[in-house]
Amino acid sequence: MSDVLVDVDGLKVHFPIKRGIVHDRTVGYVYAVDGVDLAIRRGETYGLVGESGCGKSTLGRAVLRLSEPTAGRVVFDGTDLAQLSGEPLRRMRRRMQMVFQDPLSSLDPRQSVQSLLVEGLRAHELDRGAEATAARLRELLDVVGLPANALRRYPHEFSGGQRQRIGIARALTVEPDLIVADEPVSALDVSVQAQVLNLLEDLQAQFGLTYLVIAHDLAVVRHIADRVGVMYLGGIVEEADADALYTEPRHPYTRALLSAIPVPDPEVEDRREQILLTGDLPSPAAPPSGCRFHTRCPWRQPSRCDTERPPLREIRPGHRVACHYAEDIAAGRITAPTGLSASRG
Amino acid sequence: MALLEVDDLSVVFTRKGEQPVVAVDGVSFDVDPGQTVGLVGESGCGKSVTALAIMGLLPRRGVRVSGSVRFDGTELLGLPAAAMRDRRGRDLGMVFQDPLSSLNPVVPIGLQITEVLERHRRTPRKKAMVQAGDLLTRVGIPDPRRRLDEYPHQLSGGMRQRALIAMALACRPKLLLADEPTTALDVTIQAQILALLAELVRAGDTDLGDTDLGDTALVMITHDLGVVAGLCDEVNVLYGGRVVERGPRHPLFAAPHHPYTVGLLASVPRLDGPRGQRLSPIRGSVSDNIPWTSGCAFAPRCPNVLGACTSVTPEMEFGPDERLLRCHNPVPAPQEVRA
């Protein structure tokens, strides 16, 4: 059994932009995911961070084959998901589940918690008699920290954090190997957010789960993930162990992203050196040539950056960066213009 | 004298046949000219309703507002609608969380900004357009002349928020209320907007014309403790519709004394702390409240709860380190807050 549970290879997901009422003309593509390679090892938590529109959710969905990839492969435990269809695909789905951002809109308001949880069991023929099922449901509620009387209640009767627990319990019913959690805590209040993060960690330890956690909050990802991939405009620009990424970010975008996060400590805030990026995220329908980040990069060089797309290359074991000049920037051979921290967009 | 004095402000939403909802339950705070004051709290703590009450933007029906909001010596509550309209946008500016729903989708950006200038300053349209262009430049929108003719949907989220800030600042208000101005934005854009706000209120700003913006006061409403830590002079922590702790940012973050503030800080994962430590969340959720009239609203979730907490309402008093607190059993000197 290989160490890698999910192997994503050259994955592309392009969405056509359609025009016309009678003729369905395709006038362009949104390059949501544009060439991503990553491997998720068994039992680890892989964190995917990026700003809105960078393609992180689409990537997560494509891993589960909820979005059809345009090109590339997703190999789940040795099986290429693209080769599967119909019944084999459905059976494979038991092993990969998803937890969504908004627990209220991802839970059917007319289904009781019991019905929500039993549905997955039935679909995958794990429903072995009323008694066994009832015992299983009680066990599930117990592990996610919901009261036993929750079964007969409906989603609207719960608070946001409890709803997210229902969503997690639902994902767990079919005993999956992989859970893709798309922004699992961003809809929750901070005090509750910590409860759910702790729960996710406990469940991983208890059931040996593998997580793909997608989030925009770098502090959350750093807390929960073992390895982190940073996405920008459809591609991964940097990937490293969580500690290495945060202590020694090598890609200019990662550095800017990390420097932009406010820390709840005035002492740190007063000293914090900010790299303020200028401008906005370019449209993923018309991504810039060359390095996708060159339009906003403070370290941009006149050559190569706008013509040649940098590959994700390993600069240290386990640390991959998609920047032509990562070493030069780290060594200080290329410096950003002075007064950077004061510049505005 | 303080620029804005909010005293015992309460907002109760009433609905026929239903229990009244007490959204704000006696909030008091002051804002001095040029000061940046933060209102922090989780959803449902009444921070946004406080802002709407100050601005007089709550509906007149079904809402009971009591207490006092004095702005520059004038009582704003109960001011006739017309008089309030004269002040809103001129003396008091407001920036909302979602720029797309606070801009008019069918009116070009330029017209929406000039509208403010025409209404309050009687600036002729042409001159106002020039000023609107300058304002957009000031808030960091590139190519402002083109942007003036564009509609909100043509702007990115960050630019919309900049446009909204430009509108709020058009008449150089004495007070700017910003309600979660960066929550809908990405972190890199958030950093841009926060830098802009800090610059607009802090530094003397002469780019906008004769007077400088240096003494504009800012009330920053947010749930993000990080945003507050970097920007606000004075921080008010709200829970269940009341201020539970108040202090200048440095001492407050270094040694929070209210169990809620301590809990909030301990439950956020921090980028600069050591990794792999477990978070210590506050138990329960925001909805587990008891009414302030019968004790402390935070008591059901509080780790420091005493018998008195569920029977005697705590008052805002000086606790340890001369900190204003609403707590019977405050957390003593620096605990393991940084963990």
Side-chain angles (χ1 to χ4, degrees):
Chain A
M1 198 162 75
S2 120
D3 184 33
V4 173
L5 181 67
V6 182
D7 192 5
V8 176
D9 183 23
L11 188 73
K12 291 185 180 179
V13 184
H14 297 170
F15 296 112
I17 305 168
K18 305 270 194 181
R19 282 277 160 74
I21 299 164
V22 181
H23 298 286
D24 210 10
R25 286 181 301 130
T26 300
V27 293
Y29 288 93
V30 173
Y31 300 93
V33 177
D34 202 22
V36 166
D37 303 305
L38 64 89
I40 306 173
R41 298 186 204 114
R42 251 172 246 279
E44 80 167 349
T45 302
Y46 190 98
L48 208 52
V49 283
E51 296 179 286
S52 48
C54 74
K56 55 190 192 301
S57 290
T58 307
L59 176 59
R61 295 177 64 88
V63 166
L64 299 180
R65 221 180 140 203
L66 295 172
S67 295
E68 278 310 311
T70 312
R73 300 195 310 158
V74 177
V75 179
F76 182 82
D77 202 9
T79 316
D80 184 355
L81 293 182
Q83 303 299 321
L84 296 181
S85 64
E87 193 52 27
L89 176 63
R90 200 182 71 81
R91 276 204 301 276
M92 193 56 112
R93 287 239 158 95
R94 182 191 67 77
R95 302 183 53 195
M96 28 194 209
Q97 290 292 309
M98 188 150 182
V99 173
F100 298 90
Q101 170 173 5
D102 181 355
L104 194 54
S105 64
S106 55
L107 300 172
D108 183 348
R110 296 172 194 228
Q111 276 184 286
S112 66
V113 171
Q114 169 148 11
S115 154
L116 283 165
L117 297 182
V118 165
E119 205 172 19
L121 288 175
R122 295 240 165 93
H124 292 286
E125 288 127 38
L126 296 166
D127 183 10
R128 299 185 190 95
E131 224 160 276
T133 304
R136 173 86 181 119
L137 294 188
R138 274 199 304 277
E139 183 197 331
L140 279 169
L141 290 183
D142 189 49
V143 293
V144 300
L146 284 172
N149 65 12
L151 283 178
R152 265 187 290 283
R153 289 155 70 191
Y154 288 82
H156 74 265
E157 298 176 58
F158 295 92
S159 67
Q162 285 177 316
R163 280 179 205 144
Q164 198 56 288
R165 287 171 196 268
I166 299 171
I168 293 169
R170 179 175 61 178
L172 288 175
T173 50
V174 294
E175 298 169 36
D177 299 317
L178 171 75
I179 289 186
V180 175
D182 189 357
E183 301 276 11
V185 297
S186 59
L188 306 175
D189 275 313
V190 276
S191 66
V192 180
Q193 187 174 320
Q195 295 171 1
V196 173
L197 288 175
N198 283 348
L199 173 66
L200 287 172
E201 287 181 340
D202 293 343
L203 294 174
Q204 182 167 43
Q206 200 175 343
F207 300 109
L209 297 166
T210 306
Y211 287 140
L212 172 60
V213 176
I214 300 163
H216 70 279
D217 186 330
L218 280 95
V220 164
V221 169
R222 172 176 183 265
H223 179 79
I224 195 165
D226 304 308
R227 278 193 308 139
V228 179
V230 181
M231 276 188 88
Y232 187 78
L233 273 187
I236 289 188
V237 294
E238 184 161 8
E239 183 196 77
D241 290 339
D243 283 318
L245 186 85
Y246 287 88
T247 51
E248 295 167 74
R250 285 290 179 261
H251 195 282
Y253 178 63
T254 317
R255 294 177 68 161
L257 204 56
L258 285 172
S259 81
I261 296 163
V263 174
D265 184 343
E267 303 288 336
V268 179
E269 279 297 297
D270 290 349
R271 284 183 279 111
R272 194 155 59 93
E273 188 82 6
Q274 279 198 42
I275 304 166
L276 280 185
L277 294 180
T278 52
D280 291 308
L281 198 72
S283 162
S289 62
C291 174
R292 298 276 154 99
F293 187 57
H294 84 259
T295 52
R296 299 170 79 194
C297 182
W299 286 275
R300 178 159 68 108
Q301 296 301 303
S303 62
R304 288 175 87 194
C305 287
D306 54 350
T307 51
E308 195 182 324
R309 190 169 174 190
L312 196 60
R313 60 199 170 87
E314 195 156 44
I315 55 162
R316 257 195 322 231
H319 197 149
R320 299 195 292 165
V321 181
C323 175
H324 295 305
Y325 299 102
E327 289 90 348
D328 297 321
I329 295 170
R333 285 192 290 275
I334 296 177
T335 49
T338 48
L340 189 72
S341 53
S343 69
R344 280 185 303 103
Chain B
M1 191 192 63
L3 177 69
L4 179 76
E5 292 168 75
V6 178
D7 188 31
D8 200 22
L9 179 72
S10 293
V11 181
V12 182
F13 291 96
T14 52
R15 212 165 163 192
K16 225 173 168 179
E18 275 179 38
Q19 280 284 322
V21 177
V22 184
V24 179
D25 192 8
V27 161
S28 310
F29 64 94
D30 293 347
V31 183
D32 290 328
Q35 200 185 21
T36 301
V37 172
L39 301 182
V40 210
E42 297 179 286
S43 47
C45 73
K47 52 194 192 301
S48 293
V49 176
T50 302
L52 292 176
I54 295 170
M55 293 294 286
L57 288 172
L58 289 166
R60 303 241 151 176
R61 294 179 62 180
V63 186
R64 274 207 315 270
V65 184
S66 56
S68 146
V69 176
R70 292 181 72 81
F71 176 76
D72 226 359
T74 321
E75 176 62 50
L76 292 185
L77 296 185
L79 209 64
M84 196 64 214
R85 273 202 301 276
D86 283 339
R87 296 186 162 264
R88 213 185 291 134
R90 193 186 66 196
D91 301 331
L92 295 137
M94 185 156 179
V95 179
F96 299 89
Q97 171 172 353
D98 181 2
L100 192 56
S101 59
S102 31
L103 290 167
N104 188 337
V106 294
V107 176
I109 295 291
L111 214 54
Q112 299 194 47
I113 300 175
T114 51
E115 196 182 4
V116 187
L117 293 165
E118 285 175 56
R119 166 72 173 76
H120 290 298
R121 306 229 159 202
R122 314 251 171 265
T123 316
R125 170 70 58 88
K126 272 199 177 142
K127 204 175 156 212
M129 263 306 176
V130 176
Q131 283 185 22
D134 295 343
L135 275 162
L136 288 187
T137 315
R138 186 69 204 87
V139 296
I141 292 184
D143 198 3
R145 301 274 167 258
R146 182 167 64 92
R147 295 294 176 189
L148 286 175
D149 297 327
E150 289 191 349
Y151 292 88
H153 74 269
Q154 293 170 293
L155 270 62
S156 69
M159 276 208 271
R160 279 179 210 139
Q161 199 59 283
R162 286 170 195 270
L164 208 61
I165 293 173
M167 280 167 67
L169 293 176
C171 292
R172 282 173 238 128
K174 293 179 187 135
L175 179 73
L176 181 65
L177 278 149
D179 185 1
E180 303 268 11
T182 59
T183 308
L185 307 175
D186 283 315
V187 273
T188 53
I189 310 293
Q190 163 171 296
Q192 295 172 1
I193 298 291
L194 289 178
L196 173 66
L197 282 174
E199 189 189 352
L200 289 175
V201 295
R202 284 237 177 97
D205 184 341
T206 46
D207 295 9
L208 278 178
D210 38 44
T211 39
D212 60 352
L213 259 175
D215 60 347
T216 296
L218 174 67
V219 175
M220 185 79 182
I221 296 165
T222 178
H223 70 281
D224 190 332
L225 292 158
V227 168
V228 173
L231 192 65
C232 299
D233 305 317
E234 181 100 346
V235 181
N236 295 282
V237 182
L238 272 78
Y239 190 83
R242 286 194 185 180
V243 177
V244 294
E245 182 161 9
R246 163 179 314 151
R249 65 182 173 128
H250 282 282
L252 185 99
F253 279 90
H257 289 303
H258 196 284
Y260 177 62
T261 320
V262 175
L264 264 190
L265 282 166
S267 48
V268 230
R270 284 181 52 161
L271 266 186
D272 58 336
R275 215 177 70 85
Q277 262 169 340
R278 247 182 113 72
L279 300 172
S280 30
I282 307 174
R283 68 180 169 197
S285 73
V286 193
S287 51
D288 307 331
N289 271 4
I290 60 171
W292 281 108
T293 42
S294 55
C296 171
F298 186 59
R301 305 178 70 192
C302 183
N304 278 19
V305 67
L306 299 175
C309 296
T310 47
S311 51
V312 185
T313 307
E315 293 301 322
M316 203 70 175
E317 284 163 351
F318 284 104
D321 300 343
E322 299 294 296
R323 180 83 42 79
L324 269 168
L325 283 178
R326 191 186 288 282
C327 184
H328 291 307
N329 188 18
V331 180
Q335 249 207 346
E336 275 290 293
V337 185
R338 285 168 165 257

